[in-house]
Amino acid sequence: MRVETNTVVPALKNIATRLRIESVRATTEAGSGHPTTCCSAAELVAALFFGEMRFDPNNPKHPHADRFVLSKGHAAPILYAAWSEAGTIPRAELLRLREFTSDLEGHPMPRVPYVDIATGSLGQGLCAGVGIALNARRIASDYRTYVLMGDGETAEGSVWESAAMAAHYRLDSLVGIVDVNGLGQSAATQLQHDMEAHKRRWTGFGWHTLVIDGHNMEQVLDALAEARRTKGVPTVILARTVKGKGISFTEGQLNWHGKALKKGDEFARALKELESQMVPEAPDSKIEIPRPTMQPRDEKPREMSAPDYKLGDLIATREAYGTALARLGSADSRVVALDADVKNSTFTEKFEAVHPDRCYQSFIAEQGMVGAAMGLASRGAVPFAATFAAFFARAADFVRMAAISDLNIKLVGSHSGVSIGEDGASQMALEDLAMATAQPNFVVLYPSDAVCMEWSVAAAAQHQGPVYIRASRPKTPVIYQSNEPFPIGGCKVLRQSDNDKATVIGAGITVFEALKAYDELKQQDINIRVIDLYSLQPIDASTLIAAGRATSRLITVEDHYAAGGVGDAVARAVAPAGLAVTRLAVHEIPRSGRPEELIDHYGISARHIVATVNRL
Amino acid sequence: MRVETNTVVPALKNIATRLRIESVRATTEAGSGHPTTCCSAAELVAALFFGEMRFDPNNPKHPHADRFVLSKGHAAPILYAAWSEAGTIPRAELLRLREFTSDLEGHPMPRVPYVDIATGSLGQGLCAGVGIALNARRIASDYRTYVLMGDGETAEGSVWESAAMAAHYRLDSLVGIVDVNGLGQSAATQLQHDMEAHKRRWTGFGWHTLVIDGHNMEQVLDALAEARRTKGVPTVILARTVKGKGISFTEGQLNWHGKALKKGDEFARALKELESQMVPEAPDSKIEIPRPTMQPRDEKPREMSAPDYKLGDLIATREAYGTALARLGSADSRVVALDADVKNSTFTEKFEAVHPDRCYQSFIAEQGMVGAAMGLASRGAVPFAATFAAFFARAADFVRMAAISDLNIKLVGSHSGVSIGEDGASQMALEDLAMATAQPNFVVLYPSDAVCMEWSVAAAAQHQGPVYIRASRPKTPVIYQSNEPFPIGGCKVLRQSDNDKATVIGAGITVFEALKAYDELKQQDINIRVIDLYSLQPIDASTLIAAGRATSRLITVEDHYAAGGVGDAVARAVAPAGLAVTRLAVHEIPRSGRPEELIDHYGISARHIVATVNRL
């Protein structure tokens, strides 16, 4: 603790009371929100912001400032109240909580500079915290990371994925704080106030675990100090609290979750009770927030060198991903890689071989992996997280929240589609494009050859925002010169004539089926246009519309289910021109078999393209 | 143990050796697969199938047979070998592993009667196991449930969600077995052979925990017996094993993950080593598998009574869901409900009030909830699992695997779209339809009023297969008579004339915007057709195509992002007729605000529909 306890404690207690008052006032004014979950956390937040953390209220994004993640995002009003207490937000603004024209939203959003990542989907904060703490290590910063959770959200498995990861990386700059108020939304939480049961879980996962009374300011400050002294292991503070604390008629009451106090008597009574809890302060007590001491450093990337492939080389795009990432990592120190125990399949191992200190392992835990990537991205790293595309479904809610935060993460899904073959349906991603393109701010790329993959990786790194790249398992021939440009939002017209009868649009492995179909149709004296749609989102609508108008038929072919993939993306793009799209896609749950057997059986082979062109 | 140890143990040891041999032989013949992960589990599987479990090899689906879930699905060959040893699969069929025309796929699929749920996405088996064990309680059966996991997959948070749930429900009929071989796909596992660290986690989550040598048959049998004797708490057996056990050159070797032994010398050497491990058996030793003793009982549902609403009543579809589910539960004892601590928002609490014994709580753990639903469905229950639609993203990989298993689960997502209002983006589902419709065998329903919701719940229960129902937060007026039929795959034409200028297709809350637009346009003497597309998948293509042809313009309007929702579903349906679709949807990450404010700002209100009709 930075100053004499008996001077600072009364001041912090009064801050806690003011945080309660502002949280209640704002939610009452808004007519909705979660005042009681703010009340249970008031001492914890007051101690963190005004008794522990180093930050600059005028520059919340300072690269060496301590970080606070409000994982229990529904307690947003107390977050805003704390930043207001620090002088960052005008007090009057607090009363505009949840208004359409205010940035003080119902749950924290990084539209405001003091929020790194959006929260509100419970159980994600600690995952991000791991990434934020890993970033401190990457930039050799002394900033510390504090994650405030509710006890209810520790039922989420993602909490334990990140708990394991934090212990594995011995992240002693990371502190978890659980506001154990014992009440969920609809019932008491599973472990309620059984603090020993809570402790057993965290100790079981290798954390230094402290159990305290979360309304005792001295205990809170002592626990934070002990966490700071603890080396080689992350610390969790399990704070026993009372939901609705400070207001007699809400304390420990289940039916007060997510309810604002009514204007009038109800609010007045609460305010009176809270105000009566103010304590006398020492005349010379003054809370000063210590500032970060380290200086920001520049991280300027150099340009990545061009790939070096020969036309016709057989290389899986997943392997080209690893090659590209390793080179990118050498050009840009911000680039980090994350793996969930498939680095020998995604070729992330190529990056690890040259940049082992910037390659992070979540083991088989995709939420932990993507969550850590989100935290890293929120602090200026450029994380590439790769796994089988199918297993990004495990982290779909993190993908959703990454989009909401507009984070600079890059996800690479390998082993997409039926073309993986014998391993069967559980390993085949056939809905990953639907997941990624659903998010309006995700860039979605799907390279067909190694050159395009290399440039996709470079483009992903240059683009500020979330990117998904789809990779394939089978080897495919190089069809582009190494210096071919692949701008985001573009496509490549691979075959074209003045009398094309149809346009066939492929992506990834189906580009080669389309080229085969071209050759076969050519022998029947039928010309088709062939497009490699390597960028699904944004999409080159004008080229597609021009092709549709010139050839009268647009046919998409994709190693993906019919919904939400290439066909739908093209259809959305050409709809304004009144054009319709014929789709070849996978229409049923596939089974094990050889890749070429499956590609043909599920209707996306050259043979089916030829038949479709002939039929139309 | 059912017979004298010193008689049965040698026989079981030889079974374990035969399971190894058949696993190696099948993968070598297939040229791919995971023999070494089978070898580490051989004693565990042999003891379970031939020294512990009660089942009927001729009727693997017997409702009272003990259940085995191979959560480490890549060990599929040893599962097939065990059922072959039991006489269920001809030995010759084992050599057709991974062939397109064989049901012995790369990972277990319920196309075969002895697999309840598909595995291969790691960390899901225990979640299903919880549901399977809950079902035993539901039908008052004495069957026991055994889930075999790898140690690597215990990094998945879903394992800990289900571990918590099993402890909460005191599922002493559930046994987890962790094959701790210490090696993952690409590296050693996080905890490797630190058995104490493994034990701390499971003990921390409230399980009775046994640590054994997984290659010592006596220890395996003793542990299973102790688990059977243990009451009031689930048991986990942590079995220390060696990956590739039994073959000198694969034992404990990292680079043997997911590799078949080569035909020729490599295979011959392994076979010779394994065969040499056969031990002498007592002349009178005979393994007999005990059969289930309980008799199946019939569970015939009665018909659900019709809802009772008046036109114009204001009821949120989420509330109608709870009302319908409670009545359905009274008519059908197979129906169960699952909640993840939002039962007062989804109105699952209405079901719980009348059927508390059939309502299961996962707390805030959506993977645990959906996984348990999958297990329940696999054993004949009809589970309805409800949460905020946004949070089903947390369980998207379970949705994917439920589709792959073609399970009879019903998922209900409430609080969809921007129409939830002030809580902000993190609570708004704007990609859930993309997730659900991507799965080709999912039925996707999206009722606009209470009557349609009631019949959707009834239809979901009658339909055999996975169903997703989307519910809304705001109250909406009842627009249908209580006896109106709503067949899956239908739609309702709400407004129609001989000179409609366009067809506006809404679903859920946008139906009411379309009706408002109709009224406004009517005042301008413009007629439009209005369709309530309550069934997105399957979809009534012929009605949509007829409307498109009659009115020349199809306009969709949806409280969902532009990709993968109503617009895309309609576009796919009408594409064969060459029709294109104009889409009104949410195109950016939304913010907090009042529902009507957001509906208008994001372009899906009546005003925007009117403007679009006028523009076209």
Side-chain angles (χ1 to χ4, degrees):
Chain A
M1 215 169 313
R2 68 186 63 123
V3 290
E4 238 281 278
T5 301
N6 41 12
T7 312
V8 78
V9 165
L12 289 175
K13 283 183 175 173
N14 287 339
I15 291 177
T17 298
R18 286 201 294 276
L19 297 182
R20 285 195 174 95
I21 289 171
E22 295 304 335
S23 301
V24 171
R25 193 195 303 275
T27 47
T28 291
E29 187 63 30
S32 68
H34 298 77
T36 58
T37 197
C38 297
C39 289
S40 65
E43 280 78 16
L44 299 171
V45 172
L48 273 168
F49 274 73
F50 305 101
E52 173 67 18
M53 284 166 54
R54 290 177 306 174
F55 63 100
D56 181 350
N58 301 315
N59 179 14
K61 287 220 168 298
H62 192 294
H64 300 295
D66 288 346
R67 313 314 303 168
F68 175 70
V69 179
L70 183 67
S71 188
K72 45 177 283 183
H74 52 299
I78 200 167
L79 176 74
Y80 307 142
W83 284 98
S84 179
E85 178 79 24
T88 309
I89 307 174
R91 235 178 116 204
E93 179 70 17
L94 294 181
L95 297 182
R96 301 188 58 240
L97 179 72
R98 294 175 160 241
E99 284 183 15
F100 184 59
T101 53
S102 166
D103 284 340
L104 304 187
E105 300 200 42
H107 291 77
M109 285 284 284
R111 300 190 215 272
V112 288
Y114 45 85
V115 171
D116 291 332
I117 58 150
T119 51
S121 182
L122 291 168
Q124 296 202 6
L126 194 65
C127 302
V130 166
I132 293 171
L134 286 171
N135 186 69
R137 193 173 284 178
R138 180 184 73 85
I139 63 169
S141 174
D142 62 357
Y143 77 73
R144 295 175 60 72
T145 305
Y146 300 89
V147 179
L148 180 60
M149 292 168 270
D151 59 318
E153 70 177 298
T154 65
E156 287 285 6
S158 53
V159 171
W160 303 103
E161 295 185 12
S162 55
M165 212 173 158
H168 177 74
Y169 281 103
R170 309 171 69 81
L171 293 177
D172 50 21
S173 71
L174 177 65
V175 181
I177 302 152
V178 187
D179 176 9
V180 186
N181 66 31
L183 295 179
Q185 172 181 320
S186 70
T189 58
Q190 192 193 343
L191 299 181
Q192 302 177 39
H193 277 131
D194 184 345
M195 303 307 288
E196 281 309 305
H198 283 285
K199 186 173 180 176
R200 269 195 300 277
R201 289 190 181 177
W202 289 94
T203 308
F205 271 74
W207 284 53
H208 179 53
T209 305
L210 302 170
V211 175
I212 63 164
D213 173 353
H215 299 308
N216 181 313
M217 188 60 77
E218 289 86 350
Q219 286 190 26
V220 178
L221 292 169
D222 284 351
L224 290 169
E226 179 169 337
R228 212 178 330 114
R229 287 192 306 268
T230 303
K231 300 299 171 198
V233 61
T235 296
V236 65
I237 298 169
L238 301 171
R240 188 193 159 99
T241 61
V242 175
K243 201 160 174 175
K245 174 77 179 177
I247 304 166
S248 59
F249 53 95
T250 66
E251 280 192 3
Q253 297 300 309
L254 183 59
N255 59 349
W256 272 102
H257 179 94
K259 262 188 210 161
L261 276 68
K262 285 190 206 73
K263 286 186 187 180
D265 287 350
E266 195 167 87
F267 173 69
R269 195 178 144 204
L271 187 65
K272 195 175 160 197
E273 288 187 14
L274 289 168
E275 282 175 343
S276 76
Q277 292 159 29
M278 295 296 283
V279 296
E281 294 186 32
D284 59 344
S285 84
K286 188 164 181 291
I287 295 287
E288 282 195 31
I289 299 166
R291 301 299 198 257
T293 53
M294 293 180 68
Q295 293 305 309
R297 67 172 190 185
D298 260 0
E299 295 192 280
K300 285 224 180 79
R302 285 174 289 122
E303 201 154 307
M304 190 177 146
S305 53
D308 182 25
Y309 295 107
K310 283 187 209 71
L311 292 179
D313 281 356
L314 280 172
I315 300 139
T317 53
R318 62 185 167 121
E319 181 164 4
Y321 164 67
T323 306
L325 193 66
R327 285 194 300 111
L328 177 67
S330 302
D332 189 344
S333 66
R334 302 169 310 159
V335 170
V336 300
L338 294 103
D339 175 45
D341 191 21
V342 289
K343 65 189 177 198
N344 52 347
S345 289
T346 60
F347 289 92
T348 296
E349 63 183 12
K350 291 193 177 203
F351 179 92
E352 188 184 35
V354 283
H355 311 291
D357 52 324
R358 283 190 272 140
C359 188
Y360 308 115
Q361 184 60 251
S362 70
F363 299 91
I364 307 175
E366 293 75 17
Q367 296 184 85
M369 177 179 70
V370 177
M374 289 163 67
L376 280 153
S378 78
R379 301 303 300 145
V382 182
F384 281 75
T387 184
F388 283 30
F391 302 141
F392 274 118
R394 206 56 160 267
D397 196 40
F398 287 72
V399 169
R400 183 177 77 87
M401 293 298 288
I404 286 173
S405 291
D406 201 27
L407 287 170
N408 194 27
I409 59 163
K410 322 298 170 183
L411 306 178
V412 180
S414 72
H415 293 67
S416 52
V418 299
S419 54
I420 69 158
E422 291 84 352
D423 272 337
S426 67
Q427 317 294 301
M428 297 169 175
L430 289 157
E431 58 288 280
D432 57 314
L433 293 176
M435 177 187 72
T437 56
Q439 302 301 333
N441 56 348
F442 255 77
V443 166
V444 181
L445 306 175
Y446 186 8
S448 61
D449 85 341
V451 171
C452 183
M453 174 56 91
E454 291 248 3
W455 288 116
S456 294
V457 170
Q462 277 156 32
H463 174 78
Q464 180 67 32
V467 177
Y468 177 70
I469 304 177
R470 191 181 214 220
S472 304
R473 181 174 182 271
K475 293 184 184 207
T476 47
V478 169
I479 55 173
Y480 295 109
Q481 301 287 350
S482 281
N483 60 354
E484 176 87 22
F486 290 89
I488 288 174
C491 68
K492 297 289 175 188
V493 181
L494 297 179
R495 299 287 185 275
Q496 186 168 17
S497 78
D498 290 342
N499 64 339
D500 294 331
K501 299 299 177 209
T503 299
V504 176
I505 300 154
I509 64 120
T510 60
V511 167
F512 304 96
E513 300 301 320
L515 291 173
K516 267 187 252 172
Y518 172 90
D519 292 340
E520 286 177 36
L521 288 162
K522 190 84 184 168
Q523 292 188 340
Q524 302 172 24
D525 278 330
I526 298 170
N527 284 329
I528 58 170
R529 192 162 297 187
V530 175
I531 292 180
D532 176 359
L533 191 67
Y534 68 83
S535 178
L536 262 76
Q537 188 163 286
I539 192 166
D540 186 351
S542 62
T543 299
L544 295 170
I545 289 171
R549 285 182 174 145
T551 68
S552 81
R553 292 288 179 184
L554 290 170
I555 300 165
T556 58
V557 53
E558 60 190 303
D559 196 1
H560 188 275
Y561 286 138
V566 178
D568 279 1
V570 171
R572 284 193 301 277
V574 302
L579 296 167
V581 175
T582 301
R583 296 151 164 96
L584 302 182
V586 179
H587 287 278
E588 59 184 301
I589 310 292
R591 50 196 303 149
S592 293
R594 286 178 289 113
E596 57 281 18
E597 201 166 45
L598 300 183
I599 289 169
D600 192 57
H601 180 80
Y602 294 107
I604 57 172
S605 65
R607 183 171 71 86
H608 291 278
I609 298 170
V610 169
T612 304
V613 171
N614 280 328
R615 180 170 57 81
L616 299 174
Chain B
M1 216 170 313
R2 68 185 65 122
V3 288
E4 234 281 276
T5 300
N6 41 12
T7 312
V8 78
V9 165
L12 289 175
K13 283 183 175 172
N14 287 339
I15 290 177
T17 298
R18 285 201 296 274
L19 297 182
R20 286 195 174 94
I21 289 171
E22 295 303 334
S23 301
V24 171
R25 194 195 305 275
T27 48
T28 291
E29 186 64 29
S32 69
H34 298 77
T36 59
T37 198
C38 296
C39 288
S40 66
E43 280 78 15
L44 299 171
V45 173
L48 275 167
F49 275 72
F50 305 102
E52 173 67 19
M53 284 166 55
R54 290 176 308 174
F55 64 100
D56 181 350
N58 302 315
N59 179 16
K61 288 221 171 293
H62 192 295
H64 300 295
D66 288 346
R67 312 314 303 168
F68 175 70
V69 179
L70 182 67
S71 188
K72 46 178 282 183
H74 52 299
I78 200 168
L79 177 74
Y80 306 142
W83 284 97
S84 179
E85 179 78 23
T88 309
I89 307 174
R91 239 178 113 203
E93 179 70 16
L94 295 182
L95 298 181
R96 301 188 59 240
L97 178 72
R98 293 174 160 245
E99 284 182 17
F100 184 59
T101 52
S102 166
D103 284 339
L104 304 187
E105 299 200 42
H107 291 77
M109 287 283 285
R111 298 191 217 271
V112 288
Y114 46 85
V115 171
D116 290 332
I117 58 150
T119 52
S121 182
L122 291 168
Q124 297 203 5
L126 194 65
C127 302
V130 167
I132 294 171
L134 286 172
N135 187 68
R137 193 172 285 178
R138 180 184 71 86
I139 63 170
S141 175
D142 62 357
Y143 77 72
R144 294 175 59 74
T145 304
Y146 299 90
V147 179
L148 181 61
M149 292 167 270
D151 59 319
E153 72 177 296
T154 65
E156 288 285 6
S158 53
V159 171
W160 302 104
E161 294 185 13
S162 54
M165 212 174 159
H168 178 73
Y169 280 103
R170 310 172 69 81
L171 293 177
D172 50 20
S173 71
L174 177 65
V175 181
I177 302 154
V178 187
D179 175 10
V180 186
N181 66 33
L183 296 178
Q185 172 179 321
S186 71
T189 58
Q190 193 193 342
L191 299 181
Q192 302 176 37
H193 278 130
D194 184 345
M195 304 307 290
E196 280 308 304
H198 283 285
K199 185 174 179 174
R200 270 195 299 276
R201 290 190 180 176
W202 288 94
T203 308
F205 271 75
W207 284 52
H208 179 53
T209 305
L210 303 169
V211 175
I212 62 164
D213 173 354
H215 298 307
N216 182 314
M217 188 60 77
E218 288 86 349
Q219 287 190 25
V220 177
L221 292 169
D222 283 351
L224 289 170
E226 179 169 338
R228 212 177 329 115
R229 288 192 304 268
T230 303
K231 299 299 171 199
V233 61
T235 296
V236 64
I237 299 169
L238 301 171
R240 185 188 215 279
T241 60
V242 176
K243 200 161 174 175
K245 175 76 178 177
I247 305 167
S248 58
F249 54 95
T250 66
E251 281 192 1
Q253 297 299 309
L254 183 59
N255 59 349
W256 270 102
H257 180 94
K259 263 188 210 162
L261 277 69
K262 284 191 206 74
K263 284 186 187 180
D265 287 352
E266 196 166 88
F267 173 69
R269 194 176 144 205
L271 187 65
K272 196 175 157 195
E273 288 187 14
L274 289 168
E275 283 175 342
S276 76
Q277 292 159 30
M278 296 296 283
V279 296
E281 293 185 32
D284 58 343
S285 83
K286 190 163 177 291
I287 296 285
E288 280 194 32
I289 300 166
R291 302 299 198 260
T293 53
M294 293 179 69
Q295 293 305 311
R297 66 171 190 185
D298 260 359
E299 295 193 279
K300 285 225 180 79
R302 283 174 289 121
E303 201 154 307
M304 191 176 144
S305 53
D308 181 24
Y309 296 107
K310 284 188 208 72
L311 291 179
D313 282 356
L314 279 173
I315 300 139
T317 53
R318 62 186 167 119
E319 181 164 2
Y321 164 67
T323 306
L325 192 65
R327 284 195 300 111
L328 178 67
S330 302
D332 189 343
S333 65
R334 302 170 309 159
V335 170
V336 300
L338 294 102
D339 175 45
D341 190 21
V342 288
K343 65 189 178 200
N344 51 347
S345 289
T346 59
F347 289 93
T348 297
E349 63 184 12
K350 292 194 176 199
F351 179 92
E352 188 184 35
V354 283
H355 311 291
D357 52 325
R358 283 189 272 140
C359 189
Y360 308 114
Q361 184 59 252
S362 69
F363 299 93
I364 307 176
E366 293 76 14
Q367 296 184 87
M369 177 178 70
V370 178
M374 289 163 67
L376 280 154
S378 78
R379 302 301 301 145
V382 182
F384 281 75
T387 183
F388 282 31
F391 303 140
F392 274 118
R394 207 54 161 269
D397 196 40
F398 287 72
V399 169
R400 183 176 77 88
M401 293 297 288
I404 287 174
S405 291
D406 201 26
L407 286 170
N408 194 28
I409 61 164
K410 322 298 170 184
L411 306 178
V412 180
S414 73
H415 293 68
S416 52
V418 301
S419 54
I420 70 157
E422 291 84 354
D423 272 335
S426 67
Q427 317 296 300
M428 297 168 175
L430 289 158
E431 58 288 278
D432 57 314
L433 294 175
M435 177 186 72
T437 55
Q439 302 302 332
N441 57 348
F442 255 78
V443 166
V444 181
L445 305 175
Y446 186 8
S448 61
D449 86 341
V451 171
C452 183
M453 174 56 90
E454 291 249 3
W455 288 116
S456 294
V457 170
Q462 276 156 32
H463 174 79
Q464 179 69 32
V467 177
Y468 177 70
I469 303 177
R470 192 181 213 220
S472 304
R473 180 174 183 273
K475 293 184 184 207
T476 47
V478 170
I479 55 173
Y480 296 109
Q481 301 286 351
S482 281
N483 61 353
E484 177 87 22
F486 290 89
I488 288 175
C491 69
K492 297 289 175 190
V493 181
L494 297 179
R495 299 288 185 274
Q496 185 169 17
S497 77
D498 289 341
N499 65 339
D500 294 331
K501 299 299 176 208
T503 299
V504 176
I505 301 154
I509 65 119
T510 61
V511 167
F512 303 96
E513 300 301 319
L515 291 172
K516 267 186 254 171
Y518 172 90
D519 291 340
E520 288 177 34
L521 288 162
K522 191 82 183 168
Q523 294 188 338
Q524 303 171 24
D525 277 331
I526 298 170
N527 284 329
I528 58 170
R529 192 163 299 187
V530 175
I531 291 180
D532 176 0
L533 192 67
Y534 67 84
S535 177
L536 263 75
Q537 188 163 291
I539 192 166
D540 185 351
S542 62
T543 298
L544 295 171
I545 289 171
R549 285 182 174 146
T551 68
S552 81
R553 293 288 178 185
L554 291 170
I555 301 166
T556 57
V557 53
E558 60 190 304
D559 196 359
H560 188 276
Y561 286 138
V566 178
D568 279 1
V570 171
R572 283 193 302 278
V574 302
L579 295 167
V581 175
T582 301
R583 295 151 165 95
L584 302 181
V586 179
H587 287 277
E588 60 185 299
I589 309 291
R591 51 195 303 151
S592 292
R594 286 179 290 110
E596 57 280 19
E597 200 168 44
L598 301 183
I599 289 169
D600 192 56
H601 181 81
Y602 294 107
I604 56 172
S605 65
R607 183 172 71 86
H608 291 278
I609 298 170
V610 169
T612 304
V613 170
N614 281 328
R615 180 171 57 81
L616 298 174

